């Protein structure tokens, strides 16, 4: 099979199409979670300042654990993505590439 | 206690010793790197020899500049919660890079982010636009860092601004000219380790002073500031709720458009390592911001108020909060040495960041404009490296001159400007090129131009420039917000989409399908 032909065949391979779909899906989902969390925080800053000023743990304000929480969430989300990619994505990529070699 | 004997501004032998030690080690690294840096792949991308973990530190290092260590700790110390807002904003761009940018960028491009934007479009117009936007972003950021460097060294060592500037400029040119990306990466890694170590030490000392209890720390801050520093009162960094949103957009998406950050993704062998880099980088940077938060509040509690008066024109921050804290916590014996170590680390930080910025600017000039546009993609690798080295010298000298010219500028403002341009001119075109099939050459160029112009013009019309720099009447600024990103980024996206839909480019759309093997699998990646 010519490389062009093999190329085209691979693009239509159902496993490849599935791969691109699942990658796009997780990217969208995780991006949305991050956007929601961050802009939720920004919304609170802009419009609910009194809420964020409520006292917790003595002299600290609610805004502090929330802010730190967003920082931790950001890192955790990157971890979730790497976990997914290591478990699902890389294997599928290797399988599909092996298929391409065999063609 | 309202008086503080500080050795800040005087010859500090420990600082000078650390500083010379650092310069010697980094020059040694540059020498080692120089012998390995002959090809374009080595000059721009360290021969793809950097691992995910190492790159994570280098990326974090690029982000943890002196501006963020001293500036954010200082911001927390003087304005309290405002500092945390910036920290969160600077961090949340990294997950976006991870989910949307890192892997496609590494797979589709070779040395610069313009590679990716121009991948399936007409090379010359798109490369010209993208490289120009890169250089503008880099120059804003670089000027800010140079001015910051000169001011800092003057404050810390008592050296005149001009000499400090020239010294930084010469060293930065040396690192890039001889050592390329290999040298700048390893300098960045070493500096990241030193900075994280120093900041950790300072934060631990601060916490132990308060009995290892954050509650005690916050109590002390509340007492000293009558609770004000703990409250989210955002009066200084943004003028209105809309302005806060705009600032947030600029911080979040600007990260994904910074040329010197994006360039680092080409130093790792493949997309998987690129992905790892972001995970490590996000972790280190998040940890770092928790440290600066701790340090800043400790400084607010322990450093006498008069020493925390805002130093810059914007009345925002005081860069000396963290160093002063270190002197206090160090006590009689360790105060001066600890201060010296931190000052040297801050200086090292500046050097590493400006080197990385210069390299990114050089890549835009030599790889994108010289080879991509002028030579139409055909140039011998040796020729390209020669041009790159010449560009390095030119850019370095320009950076020194800009540092002289903008000596009194508000550094935080210029960095904010760089982020706004990155979010408006660079990010939309990059994202659309990777993910949106109908994107055309005209759309790309229009998007970049509109993003760039909108960001710059709106900032000129904003209170910071219109009133503070041009001295027009207060309240007369045509654009009321301090941050243009909300409008300039949306304008760039809208322009890119509308112009692309107005005239189709079938070859580009077809290539979008074909290139999927490369985008998702890395087939054919360099």
């Amino acid at each position: 099979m010519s490389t062009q032909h093999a190329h085209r065949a691979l693009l239509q391979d159902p496993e490849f199409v599935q791969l691109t779909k699942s990658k796009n899906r997780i990217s969208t989902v995780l991006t949305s979670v991050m956007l929601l969390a961050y802009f939720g925080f920004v919304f609170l800053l802009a419009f609910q300042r009194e809420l964020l000023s409520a006292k917790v743990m003595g002299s600290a304000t609610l805004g502090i654990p929330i802010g730190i929480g967003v920082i931790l969430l950001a890192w955790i989300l990157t971890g979730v993505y790497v976990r997914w990619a290591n478990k699902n994505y890389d294997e599928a990529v290797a399988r599909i590439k092996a298929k391409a070699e065999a063609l | 206690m309202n008086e503080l004997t500080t050795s800040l501004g005087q010859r500090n032998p420990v600082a000078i010793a650390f500083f010379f030690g650092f310069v010697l080690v980094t020059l040694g690294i540059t020498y080692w790197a120089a012998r390995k840096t002959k090809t374009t792949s080595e000059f721009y991308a360290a021969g793809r020899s950097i691992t995910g973990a190492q790159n994570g530190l280098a990326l974090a290092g690029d982000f943890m500049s002196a501006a963020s260590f001293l500036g954010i700790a200082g911001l927390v110390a003087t304005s309290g919660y405002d500092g945390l807002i910036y920290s969160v904003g600077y961090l949340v761009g990294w997950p976006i890079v991870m989910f949307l940018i890192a892997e496609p960028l590494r797979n589709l491009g070779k040395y610069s982010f313009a590679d990716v934007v121009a991948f399936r479009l007409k090379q010359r117009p798109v490369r010209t636009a993208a490289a120009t936007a890169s250089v503008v972003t880099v120059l804003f950021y670089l000027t800010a860092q140079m001015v910051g460097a000169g001011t800092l060294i003057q404050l810390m060592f008592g050296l005149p601004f001009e000499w400090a500037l020239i010294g930084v400029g010469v060293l930065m040119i040396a690192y890039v000219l001889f050592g390329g990306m290999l040298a700048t990466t390893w300098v960045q890694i070493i500096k990241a380790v030193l900075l994280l170590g120093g900041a950790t030490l300072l934060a631990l000392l601060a916490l132990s002073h308060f009995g290892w209890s954050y509650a005690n720390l916050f109590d002390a801050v509340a007492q000293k500031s009558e609770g004000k520093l703990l409250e989210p009162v955002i009066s200084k960094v943004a003028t209105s709720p809309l302005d806060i949103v705009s600032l947030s957009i600029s911080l979040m998406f600007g990260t994904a458009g910074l040329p010197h950050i994006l360039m680092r993704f080409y130093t790792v062998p493949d997309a998987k390592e690129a992905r790892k880099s972001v995970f490590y980088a996000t972790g280190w940077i998040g940890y770092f911001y928790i440290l600066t938060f701790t340090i800043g509040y400790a400084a607010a509690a322990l450093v006498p108020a008069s020493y925390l008066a805002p130093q810059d024109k914007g009345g925002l921050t005081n860069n000396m909060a963290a160093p002063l804290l270190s002197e206090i916590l160090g006590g009689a014996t360790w105060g001066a040495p600890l201060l010296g170590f931190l000052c040297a680390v801050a200086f090292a930080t500046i050097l590493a960041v400006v080197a990385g910025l210069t390299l990114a600017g050089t890549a835009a000039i030599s790889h994108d404009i010289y080879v991509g546009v002028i030579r139409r993609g055909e140039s011998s690798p040796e020729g390209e490296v020669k041009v790159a080295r010449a560009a390095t010298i030119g850019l370095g000298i320009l950076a020194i001159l800009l540092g002289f010219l903008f000596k009194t500028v508000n550094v935080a403002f210029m960095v904010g400007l760089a982020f706004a341009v990155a979010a408006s001119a660079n990010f939309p075109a990059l994202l659309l090129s990777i993910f949106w099939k109908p994107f055309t050459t005209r759309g790309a160029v229009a998007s970049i131009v509109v993003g760039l112009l909108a960001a710059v013009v709106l900032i000129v019309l904003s209170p910071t420039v219109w009133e503070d720099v041009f001295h027009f009447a207060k309240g007369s600024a045509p654009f009321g917000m301090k941050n243009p990103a909300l409008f300039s980024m949306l304008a760039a996206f809208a322009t890119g989409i509308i112009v692309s839909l107005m005239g189709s480019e079938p070859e580009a759309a077809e290539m979008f399908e074909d290139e999927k093997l490369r985008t998702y699998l890395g087939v054919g990646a360099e």
Side-chain angles (χ1 to χ4, degrees):
Chain A
M1 248 184 177
S2 77
T3 5
Q4 263 262 21
H5 207 70
H7 216 83
R8 289 280 150 80
L10 196 53
L11 281 171
Q12 278 147 19
D13 183 318
E15 205 180 349
F16 178 70
V17 175
Q18 181 55 34
L19 180 81
T20 61
K21 282 210 176 106
S22 69
K23 163 96 164 68
N24 288 337
R25 193 168 45 224
I26 195 174
S27 294
T28 312
V29 166
L30 290 176
T31 301
S32 308
V33 172
M34 189 74 250
L35 286 175
L36 269 166
Y38 179 55
F39 284 103
F41 171 63
V42 171
F43 174 82
L44 289 179
L45 276 174
F47 298 110
Q48 295 285 350
R49 221 166 282 166
E50 316 73 41
L51 175 63
L52 289 182
S53 303
K55 295 252 174 289
V56 300
M57 300 191 311
S59 307
T61 54
L62 187 59
I64 291 179
I66 290 184
I68 302 281
V70 176
I71 289 180
L72 289 174
L73 179 69
W75 183 53
I76 289 171
L77 287 178
T78 63
V80 166
Y81 180 82
V82 170
R83 205 77 192 293
W84 169 85
N86 288 345
K87 260 178 63 186
N88 306 333
Y89 194 74
D90 292 335
E91 264 184 43
V93 168
R95 259 201 317 268
I96 296 173
K97 273 180 163 169
K99 254 199 243 179
E101 306 290 304
L103 281 173
Chain B
M1 171 185 61
N2 265 315
E3 274 314 301
L4 185 65
T5 43
T6 174
S7 57
L8 215 52
Q10 296 153 11
R11 297 285 139 89
N12 182 326
V14 174
I16 295 180
F18 272 120
F19 150 59
F20 272 117
F22 179 79
V23 170
L24 274 169
V25 168
T26 51
L27 283 177
I29 291 176
T30 307
Y31 178 72
W32 161 79
R35 302 170 84 209
K36 292 176 147 210
T37 301
K38 302 281 183 272
T39 68
T40 50
S41 162
E42 285 152 2
F43 187 80
Y44 293 129
R48 322 261 184 219
S49 66
I50 309 293
T51 69
Q54 292 163 349
N55 200 27
L57 268 174
L59 284 167
D62 256 325
F63 231 56
M64 302 184 300
S65 61
S68 59
F69 176 49
L70 301 176
I72 293 196
L75 188 59
V76 174
T78 55
S79 312
Y81 198 81
D82 274 6
L84 188 59
I85 296 173
Y86 264 103
S87 304
V88 174
Y90 279 128
L91 183 68
V92 293
W94 287 95
I96 304 300
V97 171
M98 172 74 105
F99 308 142
L100 301 178
I101 307 283
E103 289 161 292
L105 187 88
R106 175 64 188 88
N107 281 335
L108 291 173
K110 195 168 175 191
Y111 300 133
S112 70
F113 98 95
D115 284 337
V116 180
V117 182
F119 189 78
R120 55 191 172 98
L121 305 173
K122 296 211 178 70
Q123 295 293 306
R124 299 175 78 212
V126 178
R127 275 195 194 271
T128 309
T132 307
S134 284
V135 172
V136 171
T137 314
V138 163
L139 282 178
F140 279 131
Y141 214 117
L142 198 48
T143 305
Q145 295 291 323
M146 295 297 279
V147 172
T151 319
L152 219 59
I153 292 169
Q154 190 170 32
L155 270 170
M156 290 193 296
F157 300 104
L159 224 78
F161 181 84
E162 290 72 22
W163 286 112
L165 206 59
I166 294 177
V168 169
V170 166
L171 275 172
M172 140 187 122
I173 293 176
Y175 291 152
V176 179
L177 187 65
F178 299 115
M181 180 58 100
L182 199 53
T184 59
T185 302
W186 281 101
V187 168
Q188 200 62 276
I189 291 174
I190 292 179
K191 158 295 216 31
V193 170
L194 287 176
L195 185 58
L196 284 167
T200 303
L201 178 62
L202 194 54
L204 287 177
L205 281 174
L207 269 182
S208 88
H209 189 274
F210 288 100
W212 302 106
S213 151
Y214 270 101
N216 291 348
L217 171 61
F218 294 137
D219 281 337
V221 173
Q223 224 171 28
K224 192 146 174 263
S225 69
E226 288 147 26
K228 281 210 288 251
L229 285 183
L230 295 164
E231 281 164 28
V233 178
I234 316 115
S235 50
K236 300 196 182 147
V237 301
T239 55
S240 65
L242 205 60
D243 205 359
I244 296 170
V245 173
S246 194
L247 169 68
S248 305
I249 288 179
S250 147
L251 294 178
M252 185 184 220
F253 298 111
T255 306
L258 291 173
H260 63 301
I261 297 288
L262 296 176
M263 200 177 169
R264 288 209 174 278
F265 287 108
Y266 296 114
T267 63
V268 295
D270 54 29
K272 179 170 176 168
E273 294 298 304
R275 168 205 321 159
K276 253 206 234 169
S277 320
V278 182
F279 175 65
Y280 282 113
T282 310
W284 288 124
I285 297 171
Y287 170 64
F288 177 71
Y289 283 139
I290 294 177
L291 291 178
T292 52
F293 169 78
T294 309
I295 291 169
Y297 271 135
L302 296 176
V303 177
S306 54
Y307 286 88
L308 289 179
Q311 284 172 326
D312 65 319
K313 266 216 202 135
L316 267 187
T317 183
N318 182 313
N319 283 326
M320 292 302 112
L324 287 172
L325 178 71
S326 72
E327 244 188 339
I328 293 174
L329 289 174
T333 24
W334 294 103
L338 189 55
L339 173 69
F341 175 66
L342 278 179
C343 288
V345 168
F347 174 73
T349 296
I350 295 166
L351 268 181
V353 172
V354 295
L357 283 168
T358 304
L359 186 57
T362 297
I365 295 172
S366 55
H367 178 66
D368 294 322
I369 298 204
Y370 174 71
V371 175
V373 178
I374 297 177
R375 304 279 303 206
R376 297 166 189 268
E378 277 158 41
S379 165
S380 69
E382 300 82 40
E384 183 170 354
V385 175
K386 273 208 196 105
V387 172
R389 293 195 206 261
T392 304
I393 298 177
L395 206 55
I397 294 175
L398 180 61
I400 297 175
L401 289 175
L402 287 174
F404 280 129
L405 211 58
F406 290 96
K407 184 174 173 177
T408 54
V409 82
N410 181 330
V411 166
F413 165 70
M414 284 225 99
V415 171
L417 189 55
F419 268 81
V421 170
S424 314
N426 303 343
F427 175 69
L430 182 60
L431 196 69
L432 288 173
S433 188
I434 296 175
F435 289 110
W436 197 52
K437 185 165 167 180
F439 202 45
T440 65
T441 301
R442 287 221 181 97
V445 174
S447 163
I448 294 174
V449 169
V450 166
L452 184 56
L453 284 179
V456 173
V457 167
L458 286 179
I459 287 183
V460 169
L461 296 178
S462 76
T464 323
V465 178
W466 197 257
E467 291 164 19
D468 297 340
V469 176
F470 293 156
H471 301 295
F472 288 116
K474 275 245 171 294
S476 70
F479 183 66
M481 299 187 348
K482 286 190 175 184
N483 307 279
L486 175 62
F487 296 104
S488 49
M489 189 177 92
L490 286 181
F493 269 116
T495 308
I497 292 173
I498 294 172
V499 172
S500 294
L501 290 175
M502 278 184 353
S504 70
E505 201 171 313
E507 314 85 32
E510 209 184 294
M511 236 185 126
F512 180 80
E513 289 299 324
D514 289 341
E515 101 187 10
K516 272 188 179 167
L517 287 186
R518 186 158 166 170
T519 312
Y520 290 97
L521 300 180
V523 172
E526 311 234 21

